[in-house]
Amino acid sequence: MAEIKEEKKKDGGNSAMLKIATFIVDRRNLFFLLIGIALVFCGIAQRWVKVENDLAAYLPKTAETSIGLDLMGEQFITYGSAKVMVANITYDEAVEICDTIKERGDVTMVSFGDDPEHYNDFSALYEITFAYPEDDEKCLAGLDEIKEYLSGYDIYVTTSMGDQAAEIIAQEMKVVSALVVVVVLSVLVFTSSTYAEVPVLLLTFGASAVLAAGTNFFLGTISFVSDSVTIVLQLALSVDYAIIFCNRYKEEHQTLDIREADIVALSKAIPEICSSSLTTIGGLIAMMFMQYGIGKDMAICLIKAIFFSLLSVFLLMPGLIMVFGKAMDKTKHKSFIPKISFVGKFDYLTRFIVPPVFVLMVVGAFFLSKDCPYVYGYSKIVTPVQNETQIAEKMITDAFGESNFVALMVPSGSYDKEAALMKELESMPEVEKCQGLANTEAMDGYNLTDSLSAREFSELFNVDYEVSELLYMAYAIGDENYAKIINGFSGYKVPLIDIVMFLYKEVEEGYVTLDDDLMETLKDANSQMQMAKDQLQGEDYSRILVYLNLPEEGDETFAFLDELHVIAGRYYDGPEGIIVAGESTSQYDLMKTFARDNTVVSIVSILAVLAVLLFTFLSAGMPVLLILVIQGAIWINFSFPTLQHTYLFFMGYLIVSSIQMGANIDYAIVISGRYTELRKIMGKKEAVIETLNFAFPTIITSGSMMVLSGVAIGRLSSDATICGIGQCLGRGTMISIFLVMFVLPQILMVGEKIIERTSFEVSVPIKLDRGFGTVRVDGFVRGQVNGTVVGEMHALVRGEVAAVVTMGNMHEIPDDSPDEKPAPRIEDKGEV
C-alpha cells in the first residue's frame, strides 16, 4: 500500500477516487453490517408493499374512465357478484341447484332460466348477486361455500371480487424468478474465468434485488406489473455493473495483490459504471413522461432498482472480493467463451453491402411497426399459459357468448327521461338490452319507477284504501307536492319505489302499523328496492347498464361510445354531464393515451440517450449512428406482430422500447468505444476483429441473461401485460445483439469520416513526456524508447523515454523498486 500512497502524491487526478475506494475496502465490515441491517428490514418490508391490480387506476384523472370510477364509488354501491357455470347437467338438476343457491342468506338474486343465455348444451350459467358490497370478505366466503357445494360438478367461476389475479401472477413470477436464477447461474459459470466469482456476483445481485423490493414500501402502492417484473428486469439491466467491476479486479490482480487490486479496480470502476448506467436511466426516464401512470410507476421502481444495484456493486462487492479473493485465485479455469474472429472477418468483407441493406430494412420495419396490431384489453390476446380464471372465461364465452356492458351515468331526477332513453337505446342494433330503475320489474308486472295512485297501491299491497290515502298525503306533504292533492287526489301518483320505501320508513319509525303478513311483504320489497337503488340511483346521478352487441374494443365499439354520449345528451341538455364507464371505455381511454405516450416515449428516450452519448464520444455523428442501430432494432422488434398477425398489448411497446433503447445501447457503446480506440494503432480489419473478440464476452453475458429472462416471462406468465413485456424484451434484445455484432461494425467502418468530421473534441497541445532510469509506461505510446523493455502492453523501460503518451500515463519509479514487479497503475489520465 505504500506504493499506492506514493502514487497518490504524484498523481492527484485519481486521488479522491482512490481515497473513497480505500475507505470502502478497508471499512468493509462496517458496510457488511449496514447492508445486513438494511436487508433484514427490506426482507420484512416486502410484505407491506401494496399492489394495485387494476390497469384503469393509472389512467389520467381527466380520463372518462377515472371520472366514472370515482363517480361510481361516491354515488353507488356495487354488490358482490359472480358467474358460475356448471357443465354436463340436465335442466332439472340446474333448477335444483338454482333453488339451493337462492335459499342462502348471503345471496339476494340468482339470474337463471331456460333461455339460451342461462342454459345451453347441457351447461347452466348462474349470475349470482350477494347481499354485501363486492369488497366485503363475506362475499368471497359465500362464493367459496358455493364452490364447495358444487365441488362434485364440472364448474367454472369468474368474478371481479378479491385479488385472485394477483395471487396467480405472484405464483407464476415465483416460478419465473426461480428459472431466472438458474439461467443467471448457468450463464455466469459459462462466462466466468474463476468459479469463485460466481457467488460474489450472485450475492451482489441478490442484495440489490432485496433492497429494491423492500424499499417499494416507501412508494405506498405500486402496480402489479412493477411488482412482478422489476426484479427480473433489474437483474437483466444491471448485471453489467458487477461484471465490469469483476473484470477490472481480475485485470488489476495480475500485477497487484488482492487488497490493492480491489482498491484500484474500484476507483476505476466507479466512474465507468456510473457512465454506463446513465444510458439505461435515460431510457427509463422517458417512461416518466407518459400520461398513463403505470409508466411512471415502473420507471421509478426500475431507476430505484438500478440505484441499489450500483450501491451493492460499490459498497458490498468490494468486501465480498476480499472474502472470496483467495478462492477466486484457486478456482481459475479456462474461459468457455470462444473467439469469434470469423464474425469480424465477415463484417469487414461486407462493410459496403450491409449498411445499405440495413437502411432499407429499417425503413421497411418503420412502416411495419406503425401497423403493429396493438390492443388495449385482454379479450383478443391468447397467452402461452392459461390460468384458471382465463380457462373459466373461455368456457363460459364458448357456451353462452361474450358479454360486454358499460355503465351509462346520467343526471338523476327524472324516471321518465331514463325510461325514454333506455327505450331508444334498446331499439339500436348495437344494444342488446338496458337495465335501470325505470325498467326493473318489481312485483305483479309493475316496474320500480311505475307511478301508482293511492287506490292502485292499496290493491297491490292489499291495504285499506283509507290507510293508503293517509300514506299518500303524508308523502305529498313531505315531498312538497301538497298542491297536487288539493287539485285532484285521484290523479296523484307516486313511483312505486319511492312510496314503498317511504312506507317502510314510516313503519320503522312507528307512525304506521301493519299486520305480520303485510309487514313481511313490505320488508322483502323494501330490501330488494333498496339494493336496486344502491346500485342504480345515487344522490346526483342514475346508472343505466347498457349491454352491447359489440366486442370490448374496436373502431365500431369506440365510435358507438361517442354516439352514446350524443344520444343521452339529447335528454339531458348536452353530452357534458354524461359519463360512460366500463371495459370498453377503459380501453378507449388507453388508446387515446397511447397515441400521445408513443410519441413522447420515443422522443424523450432518444434525446436522453443522445445527450449521454454526446458527452461520452464528443462527437455528433457517433451517437446518431448508434441510436440508428438500436432504434432500428426497436422497429424490427415491433414489426414481428404485424407480420405474424398477432395482437400485442400496447404497454409492451411503451415499456420495452424504453428499456431496449436505454439498456441495449450499452452493447453498441462497448463495440464502438473499443473500435475507435483500436483504430488509432491498427487497420480496419484487425480493429474490428479484435473489437468483437473483446466485446463478445460482455455482450453474451448480459445479453443472454436479458434474452432468457424475457423468454421466461413471456412463456410462463398468463397475464397479457407481463407476457407481452417478456416476449418483446427477449426478442428485442436478440435483435439488438445481432445488429451490434453483424451491422454496427460495418456502419462504423463506413462512417469513420462522418464521425471524425462531426467530432467536437478539444485538441490540446502535444506534451512530450520524458523519463530516465526505471520508467513505468502504460497505454498507447508513440515516440522513442532507448533501453531494455520489460513487458508487453504495460512495460518497465530501463533507459530513456521520450514519447507522446495517449490514453495512459508514464512516470518514473524509484531505483529501489523490485525489477520483477512493476509499480501499480493508478489511473488513466486520458489523452495528453
Side-chain angles (χ1 to χ4, degrees):
M1 194 61 192
E3 292 175 341
I4 291 183
K5 290 181 179 178
E6 181 65 26
E7 289 303 325
K8 286 190 288 183
K9 291 179 182 178
K10 294 182 178 181
D11 194 349
N14 201 34
S15 60
M17 200 59 69
L18 274 170
K19 288 179 181 178
I20 294 173
T22 302
F23 177 81
I24 293 173
V25 172
D26 289 346
R27 299 292 186 274
R28 56 188 176 276
N29 290 331
L30 172 62
F31 289 109
F32 283 158
L33 176 62
L34 294 176
I35 293 175
I37 294 172
L39 288 173
V40 171
F41 170 80
C42 289
I44 298 172
Q46 288 186 63
R47 306 173 187 173
W48 305 336
V49 179
K50 295 180 180 179
V51 179
E52 175 58 65
N53 298 303
D54 186 5
L55 291 174
Y58 291 92
L59 282 165
K61 292 300 180 183
T62 55
E64 185 174 18
T65 300
S66 298
I67 296 172
L69 291 175
D70 291 341
L71 189 63
M72 287 194 292
E74 296 169 3
Q75 300 271 325
F76 310 101
I77 296 175
T78 301
Y79 287 87
S81 63
K83 287 184 177 181
V84 178
M85 187 181 98
V86 182
N88 304 315
I89 60 171
T90 65
Y91 180 73
D92 291 338
E93 290 177 306
V95 172
E96 185 179 343
I97 290 172
C98 179
D99 293 339
T100 303
I101 296 175
K102 280 182 178 179
E103 291 173 1
R104 295 180 56 88
D106 55 359
V107 172
T108 60
M109 185 172 64
V110 180
S111 296
F112 178 75
D114 59 357
D115 54 277
E117 292 182 3
H118 293 100
Y119 186 80
N120 184 40
D121 196 21
F122 294 99
S123 294
L125 179 63
Y126 306 99
E127 296 178 73
I128 303 170
T129 302
F130 292 92
Y132 312 102
E134 64 178 354
D135 56 356
D136 194 316
E137 292 295 327
K138 295 177 184 176
C139 293
L140 287 173
L143 182 59
D144 288 339
E145 291 177 7
I146 292 173
K147 288 195 287 187
E148 180 65 27
Y149 161 66
L150 297 172
S151 59
Y153 296 92
D154 233 355
I155 65 169
Y156 302 92
V157 181
T158 64
T159 179
S160 59
M161 301 185 299
D163 291 326
Q164 187 177 9
E167 294 170 3
I168 292 171
I169 291 172
Q171 291 299 321
E172 290 174 347
M173 292 312 297
K174 287 180 181 178
V175 176
V176 171
S177 299
L179 181 60
V180 169
V181 169
V182 174
V183 167
V184 169
L185 184 61
S186 302
V187 171
L188 290 179
V189 170
F190 178 77
T191 58
S192 66
S193 59
T194 166
Y195 292 120
E197 73 184 62
V198 175
V200 173
L201 296 172
L202 287 178
L203 287 170
T204 303
F205 299 152
S208 64
V210 174
L211 291 172
T215 50
N216 285 334
F217 164 70
F218 296 105
L219 299 178
T221 301
I222 64 172
S223 70
F224 74 94
V225 182
S226 300
D227 183 60
S228 302
V229 302
T230 295
I231 290 180
V232 177
L233 292 181
Q234 176 186 6
L235 173 63
L237 291 172
S238 59
V239 65
D240 288 352
Y241 311 151
I243 293 174
I244 289 172
F245 178 36
C246 188
N247 290 340
R248 271 288 185 186
Y249 164 76
K250 288 184 289 187
E251 181 183 345
E252 299 297 337
H253 190 40
Q254 294 176 5
T255 55
L256 298 173
D257 61 26
I258 293 175
R259 177 175 174 273
E260 281 70 29
D262 201 5
I263 293 172
V264 175
L266 182 60
S267 69
K268 293 181 178 181
I270 290 175
E272 184 179 354
I273 292 172
C274 288
S275 175
S276 175
S277 68
L278 288 177
T279 53
T280 304
I281 293 173
L284 294 175
I285 285 175
M287 293 165 58
M288 299 185 70
F289 289 86
M290 289 168 53
Q291 274 188 322
Y292 190 38
I294 210 164
K296 182 178 180 181
D297 179 81
M298 278 202 72
I300 292 174
C301 289
L302 286 172
I303 291 172
K304 179 170 62 65
I306 289 174
F307 169 77
F308 281 111
S309 296
L310 294 173
L311 201 67
S312 296
V313 171
F314 296 154
L315 301 182
L316 176 62
M317 192 171 171
L320 294 175
I321 287 177
M322 293 298 295
V323 173
F324 288 87
K326 292 182 179 179
M328 291 171 67
D329 292 339
K330 295 177 182 178
T331 58
K332 290 181 180 179
H333 61 81
K334 184 179 179 181
S335 175
F336 300 118
I337 301 178
K339 296 288 185 181
I340 55 168
S341 301
F342 68 94
V343 177
K345 294 175 183 177
F346 171 82
D347 290 349
Y348 179 76
L349 291 174
T350 59
R351 64 190 183 279
F352 298 116
I353 301 173
V354 168
V357 172
F358 172 68
V359 171
L360 292 175
M361 184 183 298
V362 167
V363 172
F366 169 74
F367 288 103
L368 284 173
S369 64
K370 286 181 66 177
D371 294 330
C372 183
Y374 297 111
V375 292
Y376 308 92
Y378 292 176
S379 59
K380 294 183 179 181
I381 298 177
V382 179
T383 55
V385 176
Q386 295 282 293
N387 61 45
E388 182 181 336
T389 300
Q390 290 170 323
I391 293 171
E393 288 175 347
K394 185 177 186 305
M395 293 296 293
I396 293 174
T397 299
D398 290 345
F400 297 98
E402 288 184 316
S403 176
N404 180 27
F405 71 92
V406 294
L408 172 63
M409 284 163 281
V410 296
S412 61
S414 175
Y415 296 138
D416 292 337
K417 288 183 179 180
E418 290 178 36
L421 173 58
M422 284 190 286
K423 185 176 180 180
E424 179 177 352
L425 290 176
E426 288 181 332
S427 68
M428 304 186 70
E430 295 89 350
V431 177
E432 179 184 339
K433 64 179 180 179
C434 295
Q435 183 171 358
L437 283 180
N439 69 346
T440 299
E441 187 175 347
M443 51 200 308
D444 291 353
Y446 286 106
N447 289 331
L448 287 175
T449 63
D450 286 348
S451 296
L452 278 69
S453 65
R455 183 168 298 282
E456 289 170 330
F457 180 82
S458 68
E459 293 172 354
L460 179 63
F461 280 91
N462 196 23
V463 179
D464 289 340
Y465 179 66
E466 291 77 9
V467 174
S468 181
E469 279 187 322
L470 292 173
L471 177 65
Y472 267 60
M473 287 182 183
Y475 180 87
I477 294 171
D479 197 35
E480 299 180 353
N481 281 317
Y482 194 73
K484 293 182 179 180
I485 296 179
I486 296 175
N487 294 332
F489 184 79
S490 60
Y492 179 62
K493 293 187 176 184
V494 179
L496 176 59
I497 185 173
D498 294 341
I499 196 65
V500 168
M501 297 183 73
F502 177 75
L503 174 57
Y504 185 78
K505 180 181 176 183
E506 294 293 296
V507 171
E508 286 288 292
E509 294 178 356
Y511 297 118
V512 177
T513 303
L514 302 174
D515 59 55
D516 292 342
D517 291 342
L518 184 56
M519 187 62 204
E520 189 65 28
T521 302
L522 179 65
K523 185 177 180 180
D524 290 343
N526 180 79
S527 177
Q528 294 293 330
M529 292 179 182
Q530 185 63 55
M531 281 194 66
K533 188 172 183 178
D534 288 341
Q535 297 182 81
L536 299 173
Q537 186 179 54
E539 185 176 347
D540 304 306
Y541 278 84
S542 291
R543 179 163 60 174
I544 300 172
L545 302 182
V546 183
Y547 292 83
L548 304 176
N549 292 317
L550 297 170
E552 283 189 357
E553 68 174 295
D555 294 339
E556 187 180 2
T557 303
F558 297 155
F560 183 73
L561 292 179
D562 290 333
E563 187 178 356
L564 198 56
H565 287 82
V566 175
I567 295 171
R570 292 202 292 264
Y571 294 86
Y572 294 95
D573 301 325
E576 290 76 17
I578 308 301
I579 305 295
V580 181
E583 282 297 325
S584 293
T585 309
S586 174
Q587 292 166 30
Y588 192 19
D589 286 335
L590 289 173
M591 186 191 74
K592 293 175 184 175
T593 63
F594 177 67
R596 172 193 176 274
D597 290 344
N598 184 11
T599 303
V600 170
V601 167
S602 299
I603 293 175
V604 174
S605 62
I606 289 174
L607 291 178
V609 173
L610 181 63
V612 175
L613 295 180
L614 282 172
F615 287 99
T616 300
F617 291 101
L618 299 178
S619 167
M622 179 70 85
V624 171
L625 294 178
L626 299 188
I627 288 177
L628 173 64
V629 172
I630 301 302
Q631 186 60 54
I634 293 172
W635 287 331
I636 293 172
N637 186 14
F638 291 97
S639 297
F640 275 79
T642 305
L643 296 172
Q644 296 171 342
H645 302 289
T646 56
Y647 294 107
L648 174 67
F649 193 61
F650 77 104
M651 276 181 54
Y653 176 82
L654 293 175
I655 293 173
V656 173
S657 61
S658 297
I659 294 174
Q660 196 174 346
M661 176 58 72
N664 292 175
I665 197 76
D666 282 349
Y667 307 153
I669 292 173
V670 170
I671 288 179
S672 56
R674 187 69 171 183
Y675 175 78
T676 302
E677 179 182 341
L678 291 177
R679 275 293 287 129
K680 296 177 180 178
I681 58 174
M682 59 181 67
K684 290 182 179 180
K685 183 176 181 180
E686 294 77 12
V688 77
I689 292 173
E690 288 299 318
T691 294
L692 292 178
N693 282 329
F694 166 81
F696 183 64
T698 301
I699 293 174
I700 198 63
T701 301
S702 63
S704 60
M705 288 183 188
M706 187 175 286
V707 169
L708 294 173
S709 297
V711 170
I713 295 173
R715 298 298 301 177
L716 298 177
S717 176
S718 61
D719 182 83
T721 307
I722 298 171
C723 175
I725 291 173
Q727 290 174 341
C728 295
L729 183 64
R731 183 177 62 232
T733 304
M734 281 192 283
I735 294 170
S736 295
I737 292 174
F738 178 83
L739 292 185
V740 298
M741 299 294 291
F742 290 95
V743 175
L744 178 61
Q746 291 93 317
I747 292 177
L748 291 174
M749 285 184 276
V750 174
E752 278 188 356
K753 291 184 179 180
I754 296 175
I755 297 171
E756 291 174 2
R757 291 175 181 176
T758 57
S759 174
F760 49 85
E761 184 176 3
V762 179
S763 300
V764 296
I766 295 177
K767 177 186 176 184
L768 198 64
D769 288 334
R770 294 180 179 276
F772 184 77
T774 302
V775 182
R776 172 71 179 182
V777 180
D778 285 307
F780 172 60
V781 179
R782 183 185 293 110
Q784 295 181 347
V785 177
N786 299 318
T788 303
V789 177
V790 179
E792 186 179 355
M793 292 298 294
H794 308 291
L796 284 175
V797 179
R798 292 185 179 86
E800 181 179 0
V801 178
V804 176
V805 182
T806 305
M807 299 182 69
N809 57 51
M810 184 180 84
H811 49 262
E812 295 182 3
I813 297 177
D815 293 335
D816 57 354
S817 296
D819 293 344
E820 67 279 6
K821 183 177 181 179
R825 294 180 287 110
I826 303 303
E827 71 156 3
D828 292 336
K829 295 190 297 185
E831 289 197 359
V832 179

